[in-house]
Amino acid sequence: WAAVRSKAPYVTFPVAFVVGLVGSQLEWFLRGDPPPTAQEEKSISEQREDRKLQEITGEDLTKVVSLKDKLEFAPRAVLNRNRPEKS
């Protein structure tokens, strides 16, 4: 048993390697197309930038609400102690 225990890594690694290789090939065969490579995929930040650009396309970016028109442009004070009540 001591010999089997000491030689177990030398037996299990090749078996695990073959099982992984067969499983990978079987998955590729069932799916058909390999997954896109990292070079073809866009990063999360690039996807976010593209989405933001699509959202603002066609909008007039010069029309913004002035700070005078905004009622709550300043951060709220803790427990509203330092702010007067609005009428």
Side-chain angles (χ1 to χ4, degrees):
W1 286 111
V4 170
R5 217 175 327 156
S6 66
K7 303 296 182 191
Y10 300 110
V11 174
T12 56
F13 178 72
V15 171
F17 183 78
V18 170
V19 168
L21 188 64
V22 169
S24 173
Q25 294 298 320
L26 181 64
E27 181 179 357
W28 177 79
F29 178 73
L30 292 176
R31 286 189 178 193
D33 293 334
T37 61
Q39 296 172 351
E40 295 175 3
E41 292 181 3
K42 291 185 176 181
S43 67
I44 299 297
S45 60
E46 289 175 341
Q47 291 175 2
R48 184 180 304 124
E49 289 174 358
D50 290 343
R51 180 180 46 81
K52 286 181 179 180
L53 283 174
Q54 289 175 359
E55 287 176 359
I56 64 172
T57 302
E59 293 181 10
D60 187 11
L61 300 178
T62 59
K63 295 181 181 179
V64 294
V65 180
S66 69
L67 292 177
K68 291 178 183 177
D69 295 339
K70 287 185 176 181
L71 297 176
E72 291 292 328
F73 68 92
R76 296 181 61 98
V78 177
L79 299 177
N80 285 335
R81 290 183 187 176
N82 299 332
R83 295 191 58 153
E85 292 296 324
K86 294 181 181 175
S87 56

